[in-house]
Amino acid sequence: MLNLIAWIILGILAGAIAKAIYPGHQGGGIIATMLLGIIGSLIGGSLFNLLSTGNLVLTGAGFSIGGLIVAIIGAIIAIFIWSLITRRSAV
């Protein structure tokens, strides 16, 4: 239960910071920010695990300063991918 709460808190922080860093306007409220941060945590944690161990495993970033940085990078990647998807569907 505490792990889930930590992921939600990490997701809110990472999503909010990523939205502030990424240029342009991103829609969505607190739920979208939280989901974006959690997805970013999974992307960032998996990429970090791939680069450090050479194994691609779906894992989230840990609840630490390093984990927050990895989650923010993952959330920025998720924002970029989401903007590509929504831009193509709008055309």
Side-chain angles (χ1 to χ4, degrees), residues 15-52:
I17 293 170
K19 279 188 172 189
I21 292 172
Y22 197 83
H25 174 71
Q26 300 85 35
I30 188 73
I31 301 296
T33 301
M34 185 173 63
L35 289 175
L36 174 72
I38 292 171
I39 291 169
S41 176
L42 288 173
I43 292 171
S46 299
L47 287 175
F48 181 75
N49 192 25
L50 176 68
L51 293 174
S52 63

Side-chain angles (χ1 to χ4, degrees), residues 49-89:
N49 192 25
L50 176 68
L51 293 174
S52 63
T53 65
N55 297 327
L56 182 61
V57 179
L58 184 62
T59 182
F63 194 68
S64 64
I65 298 298
L68 181 62
I69 292 169
V70 168
I72 291 168
I73 292 169
I76 290 172
I77 293 169
I79 291 172
F80 176 72
I81 292 170
W82 183 250
S83 68
L84 289 177
I85 292 170
T86 57
R87 190 175 310 148
R88 285 194 182 135
S89 65

